[in-house]
Amino acid sequence: VEAMAAETPVLLSEEVGVAKKADAAQAGIAVSLEADEITEALERVLTSPALQEEMGRKGPSHVRSSYRPESVAEQMIRAIQQRREELS
């Protein structure tokens, strides 16, 4: 998240919670843990200044819209409430 906020193109493992949102926002690329897929994505980013610029431009706005402290706090409160209900 910090790298996206700093206008840095990112590759994220599909296993990481923020990967799908970053990929959908075109602020990052979600990849499997397969070496071939990682290599292909790296080559794609490293050989395309336009893609680097686009991802760098979209990163900060994606972070602002998806990871505002208020939004994260609301998500945590809902998760805690849901867990309490499950344990009751």
Side-chain angles (χ1 to χ4, degrees), residues 52-70:
Q52 294 170 30
E53 183 180 330
E54 179 182 8
M55 291 172 66
R57 188 173 22 84
K58 291 183 176 184
S61 61
H62 169 63
V63 170
R64 281 192 303 274
S65 66
S66 298
Y67 303 103
R68 294 176 301 114
E70 299 84 6

Side-chain angles (χ1 to χ4, degrees), residues 27-65:
I29 298 176
V31 296
S32 72
L33 296 177
E34 297 296 321
D36 290 345
E37 189 172 342
I38 295 168
T39 301
E40 184 179 304
L42 277 172
E43 286 177 353
R44 188 172 148 217
V45 173
L46 293 174
T47 60
S48 176
L51 180 59
Q52 294 170 30
E53 183 180 330
E54 179 182 8
M55 291 172 66
R57 188 173 22 84
K58 291 183 176 184
S61 61
H62 169 63
V63 170
R64 281 192 303 274
S65 66

